[in-house]
Amino acid sequence: QGSTTLTYEQLQAAVQAFAVGLRRLGLERGDRVGIYLDKRIETVVASFGAPAAGGVFVPVNPLLKPEQVAYILSDCNVRVLISSSERLALLQPALAACPDLRLQVTVNPEASPAGDDTTPAMGWENVLQAGAGRGGHRVIDTDMVAILYTSGSTGKPKGVVLSHRNMVAGAKSVASYLENNADDTLLAALPLSFDARFSQLTTAFHVGARAVLLNYLLPRDVLKALEKER
């Protein structure tokens, strides 16, 4: 992502710190963690950190409008929402329809967390620094790991539930038929809110490959990234 590069060791440390931070802040086993962000390091850390804490991650398409986001958050009872200050500011009026929301987390360090009297907010680094001592809840392979929402083209979006076993089996399957290995570089150019797109990460992680996050405006941006990242 941009000029930021993480090794798997650094990523694991961030995931663990985020998971423990969530637990210290009261995340219970099975609680939903909504992620309303473009593709960035924090998106990846939150997606793996929430399940590591025993929670369930809910990736929300970053192109959705506030009312659509609020519908998803309310439909699956999201407790924690990870987003940017700009996105949270736009969401505030719609979040009144999300009574289960308990905490908003802002990823951009230079901004003040949004929040209000009923739903407090804190910065990303504060969550990481809260992680001293307590590990995550115990989970097993059949526990829920994620709820991925359909596009809603034929009605309201519907949440598709995945277990830890589903997620691992999918990564193994895709890595197998694509014959991925640790020398590969995978370009994540599509939204991570759908299963086929998120598997770009899980497939890379399964084999130890390199994953490159790309937010693009024009097709030539993809071509430039393909050339640059080889």
Side-chain angles (χ1 to χ4, degrees):
Q1 172 201 336
S3 59
T4 303
T5 301
L6 294 184
T7 64
Y8 275 105
E9 182 180 21
Q10 292 169 324
L11 177 61
Q12 172 60 22
V15 166
Q16 184 63 22
F18 184 73
V20 178
L22 285 180
R23 283 285 291 113
R24 288 291 300 273
L25 293 168
L27 191 80
E28 297 294 340
R29 187 170 183 264
D31 278 354
R32 279 60 154 161
V33 178
I35 304 168
Y36 182 47
L37 287 168
D38 57 3
K39 287 188 290 294
R40 52 190 297 160
I41 297 297
E42 293 88 349
T43 308
V44 179
V45 172
S47 297
F48 288 85
V56 177
F57 78 96
V58 183
V60 181
N61 190 332
L63 300 180
L64 293 184
K65 294 180 171 56
E67 293 73 19
Q68 296 170 303
V69 176
Y71 170 79
I72 291 174
L73 302 183
S74 176
D75 184 62
C76 68
N77 313 101
V78 162
R79 294 281 185 177
V80 179
L81 175 60
I82 318 294
S83 194
S84 66
S85 59
E86 297 86 0
R87 290 177 181 272
L88 285 174
L90 294 174
L91 281 179
Q92 290 310 310
L95 292 182
C98 306
D100 295 300
L101 190 60
R102 296 290 181 268
L103 177 67
Q104 301 173 36
V105 178
T106 305
V107 297
N108 33 338
E110 71 284 357
S112 299
D116 54 36
D117 293 338
T118 57
T119 309
M122 67 188 308
W124 174 266
E125 290 299 325
N126 296 113
V127 177
L128 298 184
Q129 292 165 8
R134 297 174 64 185
H137 295 281
R138 178 179 180 271
V139 296
I140 60 174
D141 59 349
T142 54
D143 282 341
M144 196 187 320
V145 69
I147 303 176
L148 307 183
Y149 274 78
T150 61
S151 60
S153 56
T154 58
K156 293 288 189 182
K158 299 172 181 64
V160 179
V161 174
L162 295 179
S163 68
H164 286 260
R165 182 188 292 179
N166 291 151
M167 191 71 77
V168 173
K172 289 182 176 179
S173 175
V174 175
S176 174
Y177 69 71
L178 290 181
E179 300 182 350
N180 289 124
N181 60 63
D183 295 324
D184 286 341
T185 295
L186 280 66
L187 183 64
L190 297 169
L192 301 178
S193 51
F194 298 107
D195 59 349
R197 280 76 159 190
F198 193 79
S199 73
Q200 294 172 304
L201 293 182
T202 56
T203 301
F205 292 1
H206 174 62
V207 298
R210 181 170 172 260
V212 177
L213 307 179
L214 176 68
N215 296 296
Y216 69 93
L217 295 175
L218 300 169
R220 68 167 175 264
D221 297 331
V222 179
L223 297 178
K224 289 179 180 177
L226 290 173
E227 181 180 20
K228 176 185 175 184
E229 305 295 345
R230 300 183 62 82

